Amino acid sequence: MIMERAGIEEAVAVFSTAVAVCGAFTNGCAVGYSSPAESGIMDDLGLSVAEYSVFGSILTIGGIVGAVICGKITDLFGRRGTMWFSDIFCLMGWLAIALDYWWLDLGRLSIGFGIGLICYVVPVYIAEIMPKNIRGGFTSANTLMICCGSSLTFFVGTVVSWRILAVIGAIPCILQVIGLFFIPESPRWLAKVGQEARLEAALQRLRGKNADISQEAAEIREYTEAFQQLSEARILDLFQRRYAHSLIVGVGLMVLQQFGGSNAILYYASSIFESAGFSTTFGTRAMAILQIPVTFLGIVLIDKSGRRPLLMASAAGMCLGCLVVALSFLLQAYLASLCMGVAGLPWVVMSEIFPINIKGSAGSLVASSNLFCSWITTYTFNFVFAWSSAGTFFLFSIICSATVLFVAKLLPETKGRRLEEIQATITHFLE
């Protein structure tokens, strides 16, 4: 298992990952909150369907704003500092929802902004601190905790009020704020800002006190200095030819993930089940339960099978699942394939392929592309679904099949390789 492969030497790295994924758990709680809280908020506060729709969708708007600036903030304040920054907004948002009607939408917007930072910084931090042989599995834990957060919120929301549920949503933020005092900063960010002594101290803590870190520290310094000399981390630098491959892969995976129905189907699962004549309660609970073990399976497989095979298998399964859904509305096949790879692997790849000198700008572009495409698909889904329920899933199936071809043609395998090696290869820096 993953924990066994990590070993006692990487105990600090494992703990640091656990602290980081508290942010992903917050993300899951926020995504899962609107469904169980809907009837309670509308009844208690007298909101119309349109008003509640604003409350639900404004999370994505806040996320887009956060994603646009996440790279810059992460470069300025570091990975730990950015997680603290996001926790402030998430905590204020949850408390605003729980305490005051007038702050309801602003609280949801604040949580969205925090999530826009979290969705980028968590996988990047984990990828930068973990050894290469277990990096993929631990980075994918980000997706697992999003699934756990949304599933827990859905089930707890059936037995507690929406105000108490909002307070519960703030708990992982508090745990992360406390935990961040005890974990090291990313050695690669420390190298980027020239803090050599802290780089070696952080790397020694992460690898164990008896580990020889001299070679790894030297490689981090060497590649960081080399890439820093190429260009400043500005948005226009992303469009240089040397970065074209990594940018196409990063943005392409995010766009295909969302246009393949990733968030749209999860957001509107209840109405899909209802249209198909199934029990919405049974269907959505089955989905909530299924996504956790399937996501865990993906975590176990990622460092064994590699990113490319898992992504292609996941996208192919989603393609077949969409065809099945189009013909019979059996959503579980699609969800299982989604959670196994396409739901989380694009974020793993994003955290690995961009050189340190453009990682902030590229991360902002990739994260905002994901959230913007998510907003497009979730906003238009009901209109397309009303046009043709079967046609909607045939469209998703076509896009999922395109994802298989995209991965096969463009995505390099990153399993078992150092971040510096991946980034140098994909930018052709070593040629």
Side-chain angles (χ1 to χ4, degrees), residues 11-54:
V12 173
V14 173
F15 176 73
S16 299
T17 299
V19 172
V21 295
C22 285
F25 197 90
T26 300
N27 189 347
C29 290
V31 171
Y33 181 80
S34 58
S35 179
E38 181 174 2
S39 60
I41 291 178
M42 292 181 68
D43 292 343
D44 292 351
L45 303 180
L47 299 186
S48 65
V49 173
E51 288 172 326
Y52 192 79
S53 295
V54 171

Side-chain angles (χ1 to χ4, degrees), residues 280-332:
T280 57
T281 302
F282 175 79
T284 51
R285 286 183 177 178
M287 288 179 66
I289 294 171
L290 179 64
Q291 63 182 340
I292 295 176
V294 175
T295 303
F296 185 77
L297 175 63
I299 291 175
V300 173
L301 292 175
I302 187 173
D303 284 314
K304 292 184 177 180
S305 65
R307 280 60 157 167
R308 278 168 51 87
L310 194 57
L311 259 175
M312 287 190 288
S314 174
M318 289 170 63
C319 176
L320 294 175
C322 280
L323 289 175
V324 172
V325 172
L327 297 173
S328 63
F329 284 93
L330 293 176
L331 233 56
Q332 280 75 7

